[in-house]
Amino acid sequence: MVELEIDGKKVEVPEGSMVMHAATELGIFVPHFCYHKKLSIAANCRMCLVEVEKAPKPLPACATPVAPGMKVWTASEKAIKAQKGVMEFLLINHPLDCPICDQGGECQLQDLAVGYGASSSRYTEAKRVVFHKPMGPLISAEEMSRCIHCTRCVRFGQEIGGVMELGMGNRGEHSEIMTFLGTSIDSELSGNMIDICPVGALTSKPFRYSARTWELARRKSVAPHDALGSNIIVQIKGDRVKRVVPLENESVNECWISDRDRFSYEALNCEERLTAPMIKQDGQWQEVDWQTALNYAAHSLAQVRSARGAAAIGALASPTATLEELHLLGALMRGLGSGNVDFRLRQRDFSAQGRTAGVPWLGMKIEEVGTLDRMLLVGSFLRKDHPLLAARVRQAVKRGARVSVLHAADDDLLMPLAARSIVAPSRWAQSLAGVLVAVLQAQDKPASAGLAGVSPTDDERAIAASLADGERKAVFLGNAAVQCDRAGIVAQLAQAIADATGARLGFLGEAANSVGGWLAGALPAADGRDARAMVAEPLSAYLLLGAEPWLDHAMPRPAREALAKAETVVALTAFRSPELMELADCLLPIAPFTETSGTFVNCEGRAQSFNGVVRPLGETRPGWKVLRVLANVLELPGFDFDTSESVRASALQGDVAARLDNRVAVDLAALTLQPAEALAAGTLERLADVPVYFADPLVRRAESLQRTRDARAPQARMSAATLASLGLSAGERVRVAQGGGEALVEAAQDDAVAAGVVRLAAAHASTAGLASMFGAVTVARA
């Protein structure tokens, strides 16, 4: 520790700290623009000049290392004069357009100009003009003349986003921040550049000119998309959400949010919002009052129960529903006498459920991910599925962590990898077995009978070697690993590798309530059907909670066919879609996360509750209230809840921490490794990712996000060798067929995809006709 004195106050800070850090420790504000606590030191703006004893001139606080006995004055006459001089230079070329600037009211330059700017400028020459830059549908760079060259945006891209999409070109007064070759900014974290821009050079394109910042009310909430549970501030005007920005929480999302969390609010007022209950009579839809709709839904369910039995009723819930909604849905189904309820829509293999001691979760605090030394990522599209978790892993790699990957696609994770094994999904279990055998061989331990005949490849030995040293290790199962056809055995082998190497096993989690759904009990009873079985053998009645099974289910075509055959489909939904209008006969409008109170339980098991920030649109009602009243109409006992808090208390009874046990029981001796089946000529294995902007009903309707590169229509992506074996070339239209359904898409060459595999995204209308996210498909020229 180093002791120094700032403005007459003594402070101790770690060696290597800067004067800025010491001042912050004392709560002393030093004016600055380029400095940001999460970014590297640039010392571009010079606004933080301070007086240091024995120094011949003022020094930048952000770039001046502390020294024992140092004396610093941040507001002396000398320091203030230097700071005012810098401010005068910064304002020379800055346009006088504060009245129309979107940054007005939250602009650092505007704020500091009040204290450090002169009442008039001595500069009389013409100001420089910088032309606008095209940066895509999310970031507006229309007024780059405002830029003060702090390079925060450039450093964010390099250091946090992981890719340098912006840079500074030219020199002197001709310097400009620009994209390379005029391309758009495509990072899944790009919106954070808007937040850290200290002036109005980079602003939000969807929010642009829609409100003044001082007109907005600010409400805390929780992002409803991925399993991180990012803390956000929803900014509203009247009863309309105008903007979403991050709420700093170091232990969850630090001070960032993903673009999916930031811009999905556009869907809240889209044309497809359902604002009144609707029922279908004689093939025609009509709006009705709530009492009529609830009576209709209750009568339909009761009639099926009476005629077919309670086992003929099933409930499919979205994992983005609140804990309260999932809890009441499970209770309602059990009250009806049915055990058919599930929220794990994209999962196909449920064999690991009986082997898991408790709830599958991350296995550690989110903060701990950044401190790990060794990681193995199995079947994870980390960057797109978990953008901020990927950023933490990236920071860990910078500190010396080594990351290995086992997958069917060698995606660019924007970090160096220690080892990788890129094989077809059907070979993931075999490859994990190879890693396990390599680990045991390195430890001079015998392999069990279940692993007899397994011979590790060089790639598998490299992964085993990367896990051999280091103190803090983890094996993470990504979304694809949980959703693949052999998820059960993959989980067992991952647990065995974790045990053998002293690592922890973690499930990254797919959605906002992937953990909460387990805690809420939205799971099939012992005699109930899981999400796969409910569509494989169609039921007579379905209750949908926030789900669009033709896009959200692992088996989209069978799911749609099952709904089409049902006698009744009651959908609790915030949106009406052409598919729902065709398949359902009762639509009950429930509130999205901004219009209801509720709880999301993130991947680390942290329960985060939130309140509605605007009044429900039209006749929309909170989902938990709709389920409670529906149960009342059905005359089911135990639904006397007056508040969402009382539902939450019922859902989280007992010791929640004790239930967060994701250990998978492993019996290696009884393990049977089935070799991957040989594929017929012209047949490939499908690998289905869920693109970041197709993941759930809300984000699919966010207009700006749907104009990004990540929202382009899916392509059938194959390696050059796979394309050649089929006699195809990139750019051709191909017909991908599976299970009686097909998709017409464009073929694309992607040498990151494993041999014999076609990567074709799910959750999109163009691929919703296929039978499964994984398994064999045929690909032929259209």
Side-chain angles (χ1 to χ4, degrees), residues 132-136 139-141 144 147 149-159 161-169 176-187 189-197 201-203:
H132 72 273
K133 305 288 188 294
M135 292 190 182
I139 298 178
S140 173
M144 291 304 289
C147 179
H149 302 161
C150 69
T151 69
R152 279 186 179 185
C153 54
V154 177
R155 285 175 285 145
F156 173 84
Q158 286 179 291
E159 298 163 18
V163 55
M164 187 175 176
E165 294 181 290
L166 291 176
M168 186 180 290
E176 296 181 29
I177 297 292
M178 59 181 69
T179 59
F180 293 97
L181 303 177
T183 56
S184 61
I185 294 179
D186 301 311
S187 167
L189 299 174
S190 66
N192 293 290
M193 295 178 183
I194 299 166
D195 291 335
I196 62 175
C197 180
L202 302 180
T203 55

Side-chain angles (χ1 to χ4, degrees), residues 255-266:
C255 56
W256 318 116
I257 55 173
S258 67
D259 289 354
R260 176 168 55 185
D261 296 336
R262 183 184 299 273
F263 296 109
S264 64
Y265 72 88
E266 285 188 293

Side-chain angles (χ1 to χ4, degrees), residues 453-517:
V454 175
S455 180
T457 65
D458 290 342
D459 290 339
E460 291 155 6
R461 290 189 186 280
I463 292 175
S466 76
L467 292 170
D469 53 357
E471 296 180 4
R472 297 177 295 277
K473 313 175 201 178
V475 178
F476 290 127
L477 295 180
N479 293 358
V482 174
Q483 294 161 357
C484 72
D485 291 343
R486 301 187 179 188
I489 195 168
V490 164
Q492 288 185 64
L493 289 164
Q495 181 69 69
I497 292 170
D499 291 342
T501 58
R504 282 186 279 181
L505 177 67
F507 293 79
L508 296 179
E510 176 193 359
N513 254 335
S514 291
V515 173

Side-chain angles (χ1 to χ4, degrees), residues 611-733:
N611 294 312
V613 299
V614 293
R615 279 196 291 267
L617 191 63
E619 291 298 309
T620 298
R621 296 292 181 267
W624 70 268
K625 286 188 178 181
V626 176
L627 287 164
R628 185 206 67 191
V629 178
L630 180 58
N632 295 154
V633 176
L634 286 162
E635 298 181 350
L636 303 179
F639 284 84
D640 302 322
F641 299 107
D642 293 326
T643 63
S644 62
E645 288 78 12
S646 60
V647 184
R648 180 181 189 266
S650 175
L652 297 180
Q653 287 179 1
D655 186 356
V656 173
R659 295 164 66 186
L660 294 175
D661 183 359
N662 59 6
R663 180 169 181 78
V664 180
V666 183
D667 185 358
L668 293 178
L671 198 66
T672 304
L673 278 176
Q674 296 178 341
E677 296 178 9
L679 296 175
T683 303
L684 304 175
E685 262 192 70
R686 182 185 180 190
L687 169 70
D689 57 319
V690 179
V692 61
Y693 302 139
F694 300 162
D696 58 64
L698 189 67
V699 78
R700 285 194 286 265
R701 292 170 172 84
E703 183 181 351
S704 296
L705 292 178
Q706 294 307 312
R707 294 202 300 267
T708 62
R709 184 185 294 268
D710 279 322
R712 290 180 303 183
Q715 296 174 309
R717 296 164 61 183
M718 296 165 274
S719 67
T722 302
L723 280 169
S725 70
L726 298 174
L728 299 172
S729 56
E732 285 189 273
R733 295 284 289 176

